[in-house]
Amino acid sequence: DDLAALAAMTARASDDTLWRRFHGAGRRVAERELDRIVHPTDAHRSWVALSPDGTIHGTATLASGRDGTVEAAFLVEDDWFRRGIGRTLFAALAVEARRSGVTEVVARVQADNERAIRFLRGLRAGARATFVGDGEVEVVVPMPRAEHAVSRSAA
């Protein structure tokens, strides 16, 4: 049911924001990702951030790779940056990650995306960022203990 609202959010997002989230692959990749968001699987789950009127302003995805790595990805609409949407989405993602036994998540961002790197490193103590080549930084974020994650999401 969220596909139209997600498409509207990406239409409101700047080209730069979409380029940073999808690593330059363009709007067509964003459209494919929206389809994955609205059709969750055990290996690919997403959450959305809604305003009181039901408008979607952000989404976060938790995706398990074949190699066992669990990746987190975030997209927040430009006009809603720095309003707590990313942290709220992380709280929901963290509850599910810990419920599934995940102890850390990985996010890959462009090396010059300082805002995203600061955001990810600020999510949890012990988060670490490492340059991995090809202009990317991998940020590893430890997940809170399950009981801590539940209390945070309820707050």
Side-chain angles (χ1 to χ4, degrees):
D1 292 347
D2 291 330
L3 185 56
L6 283 162
M9 179 195 68
T10 59
R12 292 187 305 269
S14 69
D15 288 340
D16 183 61
T17 293
L18 293 177
W19 184 83
R20 292 207 176 274
R21 166 58 178 87
F22 298 106
H23 296 250
R27 288 189 183 266
R28 190 168 295 276
V29 171
E31 291 168 8
R32 282 196 306 265
E33 180 63 15
L34 296 184
D35 188 59
R36 289 180 70 192
I37 289 171
V38 299
H39 295 99
T41 67
D42 289 341
H44 189 278
R45 300 241 1 241
S46 298
W47 294 261
V48 296
L50 301 169
S51 61
D53 68 0
T55 302
I56 294 176
H57 296 291
T59 183
T61 297
L62 190 64
S64 300
R66 291 185 182 133
D67 65 356
T69 300
V70 179
E71 187 172 344
F74 298 85
L75 175 62
V76 175
E77 183 181 336
D78 300 61
D79 288 345
W80 288 78
F81 287 168
R82 302 190 56 78
R83 295 189 187 193
I85 289 175
R87 287 189 178 279
T88 300
L89 288 166
F90 174 75
L93 181 147
V95 169
E96 180 62 26
R98 290 303 296 151
R99 191 175 292 146
S100 300
V102 173
T103 59
E104 64 184 22
V105 296
V106 174
R108 287 186 172 251
V109 299
Q110 290 92 351
D112 67 343
N113 192 347
E114 295 175 21
R115 181 181 66 227
I117 295 168
R118 278 193 313 272
F119 164 73
L120 292 162
R121 290 187 70 201
L123 289 172
R124 298 280 303 148
R128 61 193 184 280
T130 306
F131 181 74
V132 292
D134 293 330
E136 289 188 333
V137 169
E138 181 178 271
V139 183
V140 178
V141 181
M143 292 292 97
R145 292 185 316 277
E147 62 277 4
H148 186 66
V150 170
S151 67
R152 277 191 157 186
S153 67

